[in-house]
Amino acid sequence: MSAASPLRRMGLVAPALVIVLALVGVPLAIMAWVSLLERGATIGVTWDSAPSFANYTRLAWEEDFDGTMLLNPTYLIIQLRSVAQAFFTTVLCVLLGLPVALWMSSLSKNQRDIAVLLITIPFWTNLLVRNYAWLIILREDGAVSHFANAVWPFGPVQLLYNDTAILIGLVYSFLPFMILPIYSGFEKFDWRLLEAAYDLGANRRQALTRVVIPLAMPGIIAGSMLVFIPSLGSFVTAAILGGGKSLMMGNLIQLQFGQSRNWPFGAALSVVLLALMMLVLVGLALWRNRQGGKI
Amino acid sequence: MTNPQSAISVQSVSKSFGRGDSAIKVLQDVAVEIGTREFFTLLGPSGCGKTTLLRLIAGFEELDSGSILIDGERVDHLPPFRRPVNTVFQNYALFPHLSVAQNVAFALEMQSLSRAEVIRRAGEALEMVRMAAFANRKPSELSGGQQQRVALARALAPRPKVLLLDEPLSALDLKLRKQMQIELKQLQAEAGITFVFVTHDQEEALTLSDRIAVMQGGRILQLDTPRAIYERPSHRFVADFIGDINLLEGKVDGGAIQLDCGASVAGNFGHAPGDRVTVAIRPERARLAKSGEGSFAAEVMHSAYLGTATLLQLRLADGREFLLRETRIGEGAAPPEKGSRVSVHLPDSALQVFAA
Amino acid sequence: MNLRRLPFTREISLGVLVYLYVPVMVLIFYSFNANRTATVWSEASLDWYRKILVNPSIRDATWNSLVLATAAGLGSTLLALAAALGTKNRFRGLAVVEAILNAPLILPEVVVAVATLMLFVAIGIDMGLTAMIPAHIAFCIPFAYLPIRARLEGMNPSLEEAAQDLYANRFVTFRRVTLPLMWPGIMAGFTLAFVTSLDDFLTSFFLSGPGSTTLPVYIFSAIRAGITPEINAISTIMLIVSVALVVTSFLLGKIRR
């Protein structure tokens, strides 16, 4: 009675499984196929074209009028920028998130609950609204811009529509994803370990680097995944704060399905984005396993 | 061969968990007849199969082979909700979303009794365990002992033919446990039904039971009254598991047993010459003797005054320990001092001999 | 000295809280500004709120968002509930099943959205609510599944056995014991799925057709057209709704404990 029969189990799991496979798995398979096809005149793809890797070649190379291949860095720069933005976002989130998580776990039970609530509220707020708020802060005729221009002696300062604006927006969007996993690791932290470190003669810095950070590592890794992955694939932040000048991969993909109507190229970009993501996930997982083996 | 007297008849039941090579045999060809209105205890260390046997009777597990009859009717193919037994779970398993009264009324509602009847019988059941005042509380607002009582009331309310109790007292502290033991016994008399009780606590089993089945490794080793199990254990394991006992290794030599500690015991107790045997004696059955008159001499390591007796921890010639519980010290006589030598007498009638 | 508190963590934390809340405050502040240019504060007014209430595009977009979120929330919660019941006991392949169900959480939404767009074009489904509802259900499934699964995992298995022992058959056991005990998890799952769908921009952006614009899609195109006090006002309302939802569930959690 306690063990559900395999048939009943299948019947319960199948509907959800089928929906996810049909609406996530199948589309991804179609996308991988489209990335090998040629663009179409009306709907963006020629379904019966012969498959080739031409779209992937286009990521870095450009065919000259006489048929020679020239290096075209436009798309490579966007890809590199996306990875760099995601990387710096993750680093900044660790630097800001670790102290916040530590501070939260040093609070009393009731204060902690409120701190968690304060960190969670922005996370529940619409992503568009959060990025739009920064658009207001950083806009040209805003108070921050006036102030920056007043103190900056070397010509006019442009705060919006550049990589820094995007970085600020990405950190703002994903910081809670870093704080909460680190904090939840520390919630069960045995603070006597820290007392033991002091008792054994460690100063605060040594206690931090030798006891606290190693123990926070699982949370930092989990948080890094939760921040890096959505940053790399983000669209909204660069669309609003990058103003179409500073693109990330998500924006480049969207362009192929919007104005450019070049689905196969957009599909190839998507496949590359997925591959980059897998690379990072596998790398982090391997690194974590090695860390785990050490302890 | 079904005994018409039996409330529960378990016939050559086997049960394994897992499949193939990794399968673990939890019960091997277990047979037991439990009488009507009997307080029957399944006793054994964890992993002996006692809880699995109880869960098979309740219907939470399916047996591999054999059959289970309740009141002469086969139930092993029935789901738990069609078996006339109720269970008191180890951690009570009170429904946290229902009040005490709703918990107790649950089974009565399932039996489609009238609303008035449900209320009346739930009230009676709560009255029986003196929990009527808590009817509207949630289980989380009760102490462990109170939750225990509600679990009993809930299981007794539908008037089952048999009540199954799975280590129901194990979560309570010692004082409360002693009190609940007495209440359980009274409840059984009041309800007039069969109790099948699972425990690993031998003292609890001895106090409560009409009969005890001592289990080990998926088998019943001995099935008898508490007195018989304590005084005439059939296996070395049973002797060792129940109460304190001294186990002395030795070898049968003609008409006597030569113990490794140097002493000898007259008689071979049915074992062939040359056999290795274990001689068992309870600490309270061994006696201090006058110097030179006992079976062997020993050194006093420690003496503990227990009020009703003095427990002596002795060291034998081969270095082994021997416990002796002496009730006759006192009345002015001082207990033997630490380090002194005493003589120990082993009365023949107090000895149990097992093949080693 | 508080041994637990490491130096500067408090200062950095307060700084982070300022960083998190100041932009939002500024946004709310400007939504009450009567001046259209939004640069200069002229006087407090509720004009923009009045304007968005009578704006038919916003009304339609809000309605579409609510219809979509309700359908996606209900659909994904039902599917997730069944899946959670089916994965209650361990079995071979459980890890694969869970990886598939949770895949929408890690896959970049822009990729899944354009891929779904291609699927729907390939099989000839028109863009609009009929395309958005199934797509939303699919990516909301893990948001509904995880809390339900967590609740089920924390449930004492003896409770179901106790119900059966007390003469409740499987159906009654589910209705009277399993379901009520899972209810908080189901509600949490539904709320998460509902809010996730309500907040979604990318999938709706690619799959919405004429007349099926959702509120986030409307806001995005409005932002693209320039900063206006109307956007501040809608954003403020969305903020208040989100905060109210989170705070309510926080307080409910407190009371239950």
Side-chain angles (χ1 to χ4, degrees):
Chain A
M1 170 233 104
S2 51
S5 73
L7 203 70
R8 213 164 73 93
R9 185 157 63 208
M10 269 317 287
L12 286 167
V13 178
L17 215 52
V18 167
I19 292 276
V20 175
L21 283 174
L23 291 164
V24 178
V26 173
L28 291 182
I30 291 179
M31 190 184 71
W33 176 244
V34 168
S35 76
L36 304 174
L37 301 179
E38 284 167 25
R39 63 185 301 181
T42 50
I43 59 156
V45 59
T46 309
W47 290 108
D48 50 3
S49 55
S52 78
F53 286 98
N55 295 305
Y56 292 94
T57 323
R58 267 195 72 199
L59 290 169
W61 306 91
E62 191 174 36
E63 202 172 338
D64 209 357
F65 55 89
D66 60 355
T68 52
M69 299 301 265
L70 293 173
L71 189 72
N72 174 2
T74 322
Y75 300 128
L76 278 179
I77 287 172
I78 293 175
Q79 286 166 55
L80 279 176
R81 177 191 286 132
S82 298
V83 174
Q85 288 279 25
F87 176 76
F88 289 122
T89 303
T90 310
V91 171
L92 278 174
C93 282
V94 173
L95 292 179
L96 292 174
L98 183 61
V100 175
L102 282 171
W103 174 71
M104 282 165 71
S105 52
S106 75
L107 298 173
S108 72
K109 176 83 190 75
N110 272 331
Q111 288 174 319
R112 277 190 208 193
D113 287 349
I114 290 167
V116 170
L117 185 67
L118 284 176
I119 300 297
T120 329
I121 285 174
F123 163 82
W124 281 114
T125 315
N126 190 294
L127 197 63
L128 287 169
V129 171
R130 275 183 280 163
N131 283 285
Y132 172 69
W134 277 99
L135 188 68
I136 297 178
I137 302 260
L138 299 178
R139 69 188 163 185
E140 243 168 280
D141 50 358
V144 181
S145 280
H146 285 301
F147 175 76
N149 277 306
V151 297
W152 187 253
F154 314 107
V157 183
Q158 168 68 282
L159 295 175
L160 261 183
Y161 310 133
N162 56 35
D163 289 345
T164 318
I166 296 177
L167 188 61
I168 291 174
L170 286 176
V171 172
Y172 191 67
S173 301
F174 301 120
L175 186 57
F177 287 116
M178 182 64 78
I179 297 176
L180 294 174
I182 303 180
Y183 166 71
S184 77
F186 273 111
E187 224 186 345
K188 289 162 246 143
F189 180 66
D190 185 355
W191 286 96
R192 280 171 303 181
L193 292 176
L194 195 59
E195 288 167 12
Y198 290 138
D199 184 60
L200 296 167
N203 60 31
R204 280 183 190 262
R205 201 177 60 84
Q206 287 166 324
L208 183 72
T209 53
R210 302 284 290 274
V211 178
V212 175
I213 290 180
L215 288 166
M217 225 44 212
I220 292 177
I221 293 174
S224 298
M225 286 194 192
L226 291 176
V227 170
F228 187 88
I229 300 246
S231 304
L232 187 63
S234 76
F235 168 81
V236 167
T237 304
I240 293 177
L241 300 175
K245 291 178 193 161
S246 201
L247 293 183
M248 287 184 59
M249 282 185 80
N251 310 86
L252 190 58
I253 291 169
Q254 186 267 325
L255 279 180
Q256 310 311 313
F257 288 85
Q259 295 162 1
S260 308
R261 286 212 157 275
N262 190 346
W263 290 12
F265 187 54
L269 284 166
S270 302
V271 171
V272 170
L273 179 58
L274 280 180
L276 278 172
M277 224 160 255
M278 287 300 162
L279 215 64
V280 172
L281 275 179
V282 170
L284 270 175
L286 284 178
W287 189 67
R288 181 166 57 179
N289 283 350
R290 225 188 50 198
Q291 290 293 110
K294 254 189 240 166
I295 299 165
Chain B
M1 74 161 264
T2 308
N3 182 351
Q5 297 285 299
S6 295
I8 296 178
S9 168
V10 173
Q11 297 170 354
S12 55
V13 161
S14 295
K15 171 77 184 168
S16 315
F17 288 117
R19 261 179 236 157
D21 292 340
S22 60
I24 303 159
K25 284 184 182 167
V26 185
L27 291 175
Q28 302 182 50
D29 201 21
V30 169
V32 58
E33 303 286 325
I34 300 171
T36 308
R37 300 192 181 188
E38 193 174 10
F39 197 118
F40 190 90
T41 298
L42 297 167
L43 173 68
S46 62
C48 71
K50 56 189 192 301
T51 295
T52 304
L53 182 54
L54 194 80
R55 288 171 61 81
L56 281 168
I57 297 171
F60 302 139
E61 310 281 355
E62 280 173 40
L63 39 72
D64 296 343
S65 61
S67 54
I68 294 173
L69 287 77
I70 297 175
D71 260 8
E73 279 181 51
R74 247 188 110 153
V75 297
D76 45 71
H77 58 285
L78 294 177
F81 49 87
R82 294 207 203 291
R83 300 192 189 194
V85 297
N86 290 121
T87 307
V88 177
F89 290 82
Q90 186 165 13
N91 292 313
Y92 319 135
L94 295 176
F95 303 125
H97 59 300
L98 301 180
S99 70
V100 165
Q102 287 169 324
N103 262 284
V104 176
F106 191 93
L108 304 171
E109 287 171 10
M110 294 303 125
Q111 292 175 327
S112 315
L113 299 177
S114 72
R115 191 74 214 137
E117 185 73 358
V118 168
I119 292 170
R120 191 180 63 77
R121 284 192 32 198
E124 275 178 16
L126 280 174
E127 206 63 64
M128 196 153 69
V129 295
R130 293 179 283 113
M131 284 297 290
F134 299 89
N136 294 321
R137 298 267 187 99
K138 282 282 172 71
S140 58
E141 296 164 333
L142 302 180
S143 72
Q146 291 170 334
Q147 291 186 23
Q148 170 68 79
R149 290 208 180 90
V150 175
L152 275 165
R154 184 178 74 172
L156 286 170
R159 295 178 189 157
K161 289 179 175 157
V162 177
L163 188 70
L164 307 174
L165 303 104
D166 184 7
E167 308 222 11
L169 307 182
S170 62
L172 304 178
D173 62 47
L174 186 67
K175 198 177 160 201
L176 205 52
R177 198 152 72 213
K178 297 274 179 220
Q179 187 192 331
M180 283 308 296
Q181 286 175 2
I182 298 167
E183 286 189 26
L184 266 185
K185 205 64 185 161
Q186 288 170 344
L187 264 181
Q188 195 219 357
E190 225 176 294
I193 59 169
T194 309
F195 275 31
V196 181
F197 187 85
V198 161
T199 185
H200 63 268
D201 182 337
Q202 41 99 11
E203 209 183 312
E204 196 167 275
L206 294 177
T207 319
L208 290 172
S209 318
D210 294 323
R211 283 195 303 158
I212 299 173
V214 183
M215 296 184 67
Q216 191 217 4
R219 295 176 197 277
I220 294 178
L221 292 184
Q222 187 173 10
L223 198 166
D224 218 323
T225 60
R227 176 176 290 273
I229 283 185
Y230 187 79
E231 291 180 0
R232 291 186 306 280
S234 61
H235 292 70
R236 191 194 147 127
F237 174 84
V238 177
D240 200 13
F241 187 72
I242 311 238
D244 289 329
I245 201 155
N246 296 296
L247 297 168
L248 303 167
E249 311 287 330
K251 191 174 160 185
V252 180
D253 184 11
I257 297 170
Q258 199 63 44
L259 295 176
D260 296 351
C261 64
S264 77
V265 174
N268 61 13
F269 294 85
H271 292 271
D275 283 0
R276 295 284 306 168
V277 291
T278 301
V279 174
I281 183 164
R282 299 275 177 203
E284 69 273 18
R285 301 292 300 273
R287 292 264 176 268
L288 286 181
K290 289 205 183 88
S291 176
E293 286 181 10
S295 311
F296 55 81
E299 184 190 345
V300 177
M301 301 292 298
H302 184 74
S303 148
Y305 176 62
L306 303 178
T308 54
T310 301
L311 188 66
L312 297 177
Q313 198 182 334
L314 308 175
R315 182 149 67 188
L316 304 181
D318 62 350
R320 301 226 180 190
E321 259 182 33
F322 189 93
L323 286 179
L324 191 149
R325 194 180 162 99
E326 182 56 77
T327 50
R328 294 169 307 169
I329 300 174
E331 316 265 323
E337 273 174 38
K338 186 178 170 180
S340 65
R341 294 191 70 78
V342 292
S343 190
V344 178
H345 173 57
L346 305 178
D348 283 356
S349 62
L351 298 180
Q352 296 281 320
V353 181
F354 309 110
Chain C
M1 123 173 151
N2 185 345
L3 277 179
R4 291 182 170 196
R5 189 162 291 163
L6 289 152
F8 304 119
T9 54
R10 187 189 149 93
E11 288 72 16
I12 297 173
S13 300
L14 295 177
V16 164
L17 286 176
V18 168
Y19 170 62
L20 286 177
Y21 281 91
V22 162
V24 174
M25 300 296 174
V26 169
L27 182 148
I28 296 172
F29 177 75
Y30 275 115
S31 75
F32 296 105
N33 185 5
N35 196 324
R36 172 156 272 283
T37 55
T39 336
V40 224
W41 177 265
S42 46
E43 57 176 321
S45 102
L46 290 172
D47 275 1
W48 307 114
Y49 290 91
R50 232 169 274 135
K51 286 220 168 74
I52 58 172
L53 284 180
V54 296
N55 183 330
S57 318
I58 292 175
R59 219 173 37 211
D60 291 349
T62 309
W63 177 246
N64 284 334
S65 281
L66 289 174
V67 168
L68 178 61
T70 308
L74 288 175
S76 59
T77 305
L78 273 176
L79 290 166
L81 174 61
L85 290 169
T87 53
K88 194 168 65 167
N89 300 302
R90 296 183 168 282
F91 58 91
R92 280 169 71 97
L94 175 64
V96 178
V97 167
E98 293 211 307
I100 293 171
L101 291 180
N102 293 331
L105 285 181
I106 39 164
L107 289 168
E109 204 194 340
V110 63
V111 172
V112 176
V114 298
T116 311
L117 171 75
M118 286 188 275
L119 169 75
F120 286 167
V121 168
I123 60 176
I125 290 178
D126 288 337
M127 296 309 135
L129 277 176
T130 43
M132 284 147 77
I133 289 173
H136 273 235
I137 287 177
F139 77 70
C140 286
I141 282 176
F143 291 93
Y145 174 77
L146 290 174
I148 297 177
R149 181 72 215 280
R151 181 79 194 176
L152 204 54
E153 219 153 67
M155 208 168 93
N156 178 358
S158 309
L159 292 173
E160 285 177 330
E161 287 181 353
Q164 297 220 350
D165 186 65
L166 298 166
Y167 313 111
N169 61 34
R170 287 198 185 90
F171 174 72
V172 177
T173 300
F174 181 75
R175 194 171 56 83
R176 296 275 307 258
V177 175
T178 317
L179 200 60
L181 290 174
M182 287 176 71
W183 197 245
I186 295 172
M187 282 315 289
F190 174 77
T191 312
L192 262 172
F194 182 86
V195 173
T196 305
S197 167
L198 195 67
D199 272 352
D200 175 76
F201 159 67
L202 268 173
T203 303
S204 304
F205 180 59
F206 285 103
L207 300 182
S208 60
S212 63
T213 303
T214 63
L215 202 52
V217 175
Y218 176 87
I219 293 176
F220 182 74
S221 35
I223 293 172
R224 276 313 202 43
I227 302 170
T228 66
E230 280 107 327
I231 309 176
N232 289 14
I234 311 173
S235 299
T236 304
I237 291 174
M238 289 182 72
L239 258 168
I240 289 166
V241 171
S242 302
V243 172
L245 269 174
V246 184
V247 174
T248 313
S249 68
F250 171 80
L251 291 177
L252 280 178
K254 283 243 131 177
I255 291 165
R256 211 175 290 126
R257 247 179 275 151

